[in-house]
Amino acid sequence: MFEGWGTVGVFQSAVFSSQSATGNSRDAIYRVSVNPQRQTRNPFTPRQSTRNPKPETQNPKPTSMTDQQTNITRKSMQRRMYFVFGALLILLVVFSFLDLFLGSVKIPFADIFQILMGQGSQRPGWGNIIFEFRIPKLLTALLAGAALSVSGLQMQTIFRNPLAGPYVLGISAGASLGVALLVMGFASFFSFNYFDIGGNWLIAIVAWLGAGAVLALIFVVSLRVSDIMTILILGILVGSAVTAVVSILQYFSNESMLKTFIVWTMGSLGGVTQSQLQVLVPTILIGLIISLFSGKTLNVLLLGENYAKSLGLNIRLARLTIFLSTSILAGSITAFCGPIGFIGIAVPHLARMAFNTANHHVLMPASMILGAVVMVAGDIISQLPGSQSSLPINSVTALIGIPVVIYLIIKNQKLSSIL
Amino acid sequence: MQNQNPHSIELQNLSVGFAQGGHSISVLKNVNLKVRNGETIALLGLNGSGKSTLLRSIARLQPVLSGEVRLNDVELGKWPKKDLARHISFVSTEIINSNNLQVFDLVALGRFPHTTWTGKLGVDDKKVVYNALEAVGISSLAYKKMNELSDGEKQRTMIARALAQDTPIIILDEPTAFLDLPHKYEIFRLLQEQSRTFGKSIIIAIHDLNIALQEADKIWLASAGSIVEGAPEDLILNQSIIKVFGQGKAEFDFVTGNFKMPRKQNLTICFQAKGIEAEWTKKALERLGFQIDCNLSADLSVTINQIEKGFTWVLINGEKKTTCHSIYELSIILKTLNQNNHG
């Protein structure tokens, strides 16, 4: 996944190969005006490859930072980035295997490998356990971690609020409301089988709509109030109001509807069925792909609306795209796994700390991988108490994420500068 | 050195303002102005006179109420967003605080309208970014995070970002608001250099009247709901400046172009000396409320003597002679004299 990554480290590599760029500009040290088109059309201008990572030994640039220092800075930055990405990927693979290994039935590692290689195992039932239960659960955990983290990252940047996330701002609650309205409200008029493919798509779509509606509401308010804490409190209020509406719906719905809804609310990573995965996998992939294309937009949004506009960003289109992918990502996960809190808010900060950057071309894949790692780790922890039962995943992620958020609040007097 | 292509901005019957509860309230009306190549224009006006609104309207950050802003003879609204961003850049007082954003990366965001969707910087892009850092004198800070910089450095970073955008027109809304005086001058000079060297047009709203009057090629003065334009000297001579800024108690000194608070001068003092020490002594005497006059009725007199290590000030009060080693020492004695006189 990481190999073919064209845009990772664009900023960094941009910095790193900049030395060669100054090679033929000895006479133009103070020349800020360069017309790139005219330059490239000029046949006498030597074409230099952007991809040339080799530092040139001769650098006429009279910067106060020496060439050597610059080289060291850029090299160490690059090395650090690749090291952290590598470490995370190794961690992801190790945790994934561990996750496949743990469960109510003990299957030896060797057999798991054999099963994965398609060679069968000592007992035929083990293959079923791996393929029918553990791999779907692992896949769900990977997708959920990546999706929630990316939606959190996008929300933090677009609201310029380091404490934003799908759970704390009530986006997950909005998705729940969508499903509740479908299952307990509209079910009086139509009858659906909520557990086949069509029903799953329907659930996903109403979850997106619910998530999108809350997102739009928070956004409209954030145009008038920009205070980080105010928005946060508003999110909590919206979340509570939505939960209250869901309770009222439960009160008025009949037994069979209620049962359907309760079954839905008990969703967990392990509860995602094969037919639900058929909806979850493509929607999350679409959401993640959209968000990968938003890197440049998100970078410029770090400067705020005015600067973004003055740089030529179509701000409406940008917001629409980012809200769309956020709603799809957070909505789909909530629709099939239930609300999972504090991954979306904490993981982007962990990614910023690990990579020491604000560049979304790095933060986006970093949040995906880190989110997947944290989620799989959470799933492993939830299975630790014993082989027969597991902890609710929402509690585990809360206990992982909340300390990170508390640390951030205590460490940074000025919250606005965390991003 | 490569000059920018010829460009022009024309404001025609422009009326700018904001909408409030369905009504549009205009702050500036009938604005008819033109910006030429390579001009540094200082936009002056009292607080709330609509300077920011005008600048934001020219940069298309907010809609105009009526009239037109024409860039190269094409109405602003007809420009594609990306093309417009290659012609006009904008700097405001807003400073970006971030623990993680690097100076280089922030300045590189100025290349936004020039790069593809990946934001990948080409050779020329990087050259422009480096030159922009160099031009504002922060290339040694390229790898620092924004939060490690002082306010002045942050503001310079924001200006470097605008330079990296490489536009023929730069609009700045009070970019020097947080800076101390030497830095204000420095930023103004830097922009002027950009305009003189590359033919860039710069429109800058600035609070500091002295800098504007001394440095700008042209002044746009927000006055009585519209804009008056002219060279700084024109606006001083035709009293426009004083009409706008002379409403308070401060008096305008037509010779120096400074505003001064009028002082009660109730004692006369004789003081005759030349040189820089004399100038500053004179200022101190004026500040203390003394009128400098050497006719016979002068009660007091001061002379400056050069000694081995600096200067002494000798105050003669009738028969009494006092030697002071600093202007401060002198001012304390004069103050008590002044108070006794009142008492």
Side-chain angles (χ1 to χ4, degrees):
Chain A
M1 178 181 175
F2 185 57
E3 295 295 320
W5 210 262
T7 58
V8 170
V10 167
F11 267 55
Q12 260 81 358
S13 61
V15 179
F16 305 141
S17 47
S18 59
Q19 297 292 308
S20 56
T22 60
N24 58 352
S25 64
R26 203 177 290 261
D27 59 336
I29 289 153
Y30 287 96
R31 204 173 69 179
V32 177
S33 297
V34 168
N35 186 341
Q37 285 160 359
R38 198 172 294 178
Q39 286 258 327
T40 42
R41 268 190 231 126
N42 184 353
F44 300 105
T45 310
R47 277 165 200 260
Q48 284 178 325
S49 168
T50 327
R51 300 201 168 207
N52 177 18
K54 278 181 197 162
E56 288 191 0
T57 41
Q58 284 190 333
N59 182 7
K61 197 129 216 54
T63 57
S64 29
M65 186 186 266
T66 66
D67 306 343
Q68 225 171 3
Q69 274 175 317
T70 313
N71 280 348
I72 290 167
T73 316
R74 66 182 213 210
K75 268 190 181 165
S76 69
M77 274 165 49
Q78 194 177 33
R79 206 176 293 145
R80 181 188 164 134
M81 186 183 74
Y82 288 122
F83 175 77
V84 179
F85 264 121
L88 282 178
L89 285 172
I90 292 169
L91 217 56
L92 188 63
V93 173
V94 171
F95 280 7
S96 297
F97 273 113
L98 211 57
D99 198 43
L100 289 179
F101 176 65
L102 288 171
S104 53
V105 177
K106 277 216 163 108
I107 305 172
F109 261 126
D111 289 78
I112 290 179
F113 273 109
Q114 280 180 351
I115 291 166
L116 290 180
M117 295 296 164
Q119 292 166 342
S121 59
Q122 296 175 37
R123 295 187 205 169
W126 286 355
N128 279 343
I129 291 175
I130 295 290
F131 284 115
E132 301 287 321
F133 187 74
R134 291 192 188 172
I135 286 183
K137 191 180 71 163
L138 173 65
L139 195 60
T140 310
L142 295 173
L143 290 175
L148 292 172
S149 305
V150 165
S151 69
L153 175 65
Q154 296 193 130
M155 287 174 73
Q156 287 171 6
T157 300
I158 203 155
F159 288 121
R160 291 222 284 169
N161 184 340
L163 298 182
Y167 188 72
V168 284
L169 289 193
I171 312 301
S172 302
S176 305
L177 179 65
V179 177
L181 281 174
L182 175 78
V183 174
M184 297 186 292
F186 294 104
S188 332
F189 308 108
F190 310 99
S191 87
F192 284 108
N193 179 5
Y194 295 105
F195 301 102
D196 68 8
I197 271 281
N200 286 329
W201 273 107
L202 208 59
I203 283 183
I205 288 166
V206 292
W208 300 342
L209 292 176
V214 174
L215 201 53
L217 179 69
I218 303 273
F219 171 68
V220 169
V221 178
S222 77
L223 289 180
R224 290 174 168 264
V225 191
S226 60
D227 185 62
I228 289 172
M229 288 303 173
T230 312
I231 295 292
L232 209 63
I233 291 166
L234 185 89
I236 292 165
L237 292 179
V238 169
S240 305
V242 165
T243 314
V245 173
V246 173
S247 308
I248 292 170
L249 278 173
Q250 282 175 305
Y251 183 81
F252 284 110
S253 56
N254 66 36
E255 211 174 306
S256 71
M257 293 174 189
L258 195 60
K259 198 179 153 201
T260 315
F261 186 70
I262 296 292
V263 168
W264 176 78
T265 55
M266 289 194 301
S268 64
L269 295 179
V272 176
T273 61
Q274 296 265 7
S275 70
Q276 286 174 335
L277 268 181
Q278 288 173 27
V279 177
L280 195 61
V281 173
T283 54
I284 297 296
L285 286 183
I286 288 169
L288 291 179
I289 288 168
I290 295 176
S291 61
L292 279 173
F293 277 89
S294 310
K296 187 187 176 189
T297 303
L298 287 164
N299 278 340
V300 81
L301 279 171
L302 277 178
L303 301 180
E305 190 188 328
N306 278 335
Y307 281 129
K309 265 193 198 169
S310 80
L311 283 163
L313 180 74
N314 185 341
I315 204 137
R316 276 189 198 168
L317 183 69
R319 281 195 185 122
L320 194 71
T321 317
I322 291 164
F323 282 174
L324 186 75
S325 71
T326 304
S327 302
I328 289 177
L329 291 170
S332 301
I333 295 300
T334 311
F336 298 121
C337 310
I340 297 174
F342 299 100
I343 292 291
I345 184 173
V347 169
H349 290 297
L350 292 174
R352 286 187 193 98
M353 286 183 225
F355 288 89
N356 204 14
T357 182
N359 176 8
H360 288 81
H361 289 302
V362 177
L363 284 182
M364 196 60 83
S367 294
M368 283 179 198
I369 299 172
L370 196 57
V373 169
V374 170
M375 199 55 138
V376 175
D379 191 42
I380 291 170
I381 293 170
S382 77
Q383 291 167 27
L384 287 182
S387 52
Q388 294 309 315
S389 61
S390 63
L391 302 170
I393 187 68
N394 196 16
S395 311
V396 177
T397 57
L399 289 177
I400 296 173
I402 289 173
V404 176
V405 179
I406 291 175
Y407 167 79
L408 283 170
I409 293 174
I410 291 172
K411 194 188 155 216
N412 297 277
Q413 306 282 316
K414 219 174 158 193
L415 282 174
S416 61
S417 62
I418 300 178
L419 291 183
Chain B
M1 293 283 166
Q2 183 181 338
N3 267 6
Q4 296 282 346
N5 299 328
H7 57 270
S8 69
I9 287 193
E10 239 177 302
L11 315 183
Q12 293 177 346
N13 290 322
L14 189 68
S15 167
V16 297
F18 47 92
Q20 200 174 54
H23 298 279
S24 54
I25 300 165
S26 70
V27 284
L28 289 169
K29 276 185 206 166
N30 299 326
V31 180
N32 287 291
L33 298 166
K34 206 173 170 180
V35 182
R36 286 189 183 80
N37 263 9
E39 263 181 342
T40 309
I41 299 173
L43 176 57
L44 293 175
L46 296 173
N47 286 332
S49 58
K51 287 175 295 189
S52 289
T53 313
L54 180 68
L55 292 186
R56 289 173 51 82
S57 302
I58 299 175
R60 212 173 74 172
L61 293 177
Q62 70 175 67
V64 301
L65 295 182
S66 66
E68 281 187 346
V69 180
R70 296 177 79 85
L71 170 64
N72 296 350
D73 281 329
V74 178
E75 214 255 296
L76 218 55
K78 286 178 187 151
W79 282 81
K81 288 186 169 70
K82 221 174 173 182
D83 280 354
L84 189 66
R86 288 181 189 144
H87 284 83
I88 301 180
S89 55
F90 184 77
V91 180
S92 71
T93 28
E94 197 181 348
I95 276 177
I96 306 303
N97 291 307
S98 170
N99 287 342
N100 300 300
L101 191 59
Q102 248 178 17
V103 169
F104 183 95
D105 287 355
L106 195 155
V107 174
L109 286 176
R111 301 307 295 165
F112 185 87
H114 303 270
T115 53
T116 61
W117 70 269
T118 57
K120 193 171 172 62
L121 300 176
V123 175
D124 288 316
D125 293 318
K126 276 174 254 162
K127 202 186 289 178
V128 174
V129 172
Y130 266 100
N131 289 341
L133 288 167
E134 192 71 44
V136 301
I138 53 166
S139 41
S140 61
L141 305 175
Y143 298 98
K144 287 248 193 282
K145 301 283 190 263
M146 279 308 278
N147 274 4
E148 296 168 357
L149 306 185
S150 70
D151 276 353
E153 290 165 342
K154 281 180 192 169
Q155 193 53 268
R156 286 202 235 175
T157 309
M158 297 315 290
I159 291 171
R161 187 205 54 82
L163 295 183
Q165 204 174 331
D166 196 18
T167 56
I169 297 147
I170 307 177
I171 294 176
L172 304 101
D173 189 6
E174 292 180 24
T176 58
F178 296 130
L179 304 185
D180 48 34
L181 202 60
H183 280 114
K184 281 185 186 183
Y185 271 96
E186 211 175 296
I187 296 274
F188 210 99
R189 280 283 158 84
L190 176 167
L191 292 167
Q192 227 174 24
E193 198 178 270
Q194 289 290 318
S195 111
R196 303 250 156 101
T197 320
F198 307 114
K200 291 185 190 237
S201 299
I202 286 159
I203 309 172
I204 175 168
I206 189 165
H207 258 309
D208 206 298
L209 198 62
N210 289 349
I211 298 183
L213 293 178
Q214 285 167 27
E215 306 285 340
D217 295 328
K218 190 156 83 178
I219 304 267
W220 286 358
L221 181 66
S223 161
S226 191
I227 301 272
V228 185
E229 70 168 335
E233 297 76 14
D234 290 333
L235 295 186
I236 291 172
L237 292 175
N238 69 19
Q239 310 260 329
S240 297
I241 294 275
I242 202 163
K243 253 182 233 157
V244 173
F245 292 98
Q247 293 158 354
K249 282 187 175 169
E251 283 173 0
F252 190 69
D253 184 333
F254 275 93
V255 179
T256 60
N258 287 332
F259 276 91
K260 264 186 192 169
M261 287 303 282
R263 291 197 175 86
K264 267 191 192 165
Q265 295 178 324
N266 36 35
L267 274 178
T268 47
I269 192 162
C270 179
F271 176 65
Q272 280 172 323
K274 277 192 176 146
I276 210 139
E277 293 76 22
E279 287 303 314
W280 286 103
T281 311
K282 219 185 248 175
K283 280 193 186 193
L285 293 173
E286 279 171 6
R287 169 164 58 85
L288 293 163
F290 285 90
Q291 199 183 340
I292 294 167
D293 189 354
C294 278
N295 62 32
L296 290 171
S297 67
D299 309 307
L300 302 162
S301 80
V302 174
T303 50
I304 301 184
N305 295 329
Q306 189 157 17
I307 55 165
E308 226 175 292
K309 291 178 201 160
F311 295 89
T312 58
W313 286 261
V314 182
L315 174 68
I316 304 163
N317 183 7
E319 301 287 301
K320 219 170 122 192
K321 222 177 185 186
T322 326
T323 307
C324 307
H325 295 276
S326 69
I327 294 182
Y328 182 68
E329 221 173 285
L330 178 72
S331 72
I332 287 170
I333 300 169
L334 287 173
K335 242 185 200 166
T336 39
L337 282 175
N338 213 345
Q339 276 161 3
N340 292 343
N341 190 51
H342 277 281

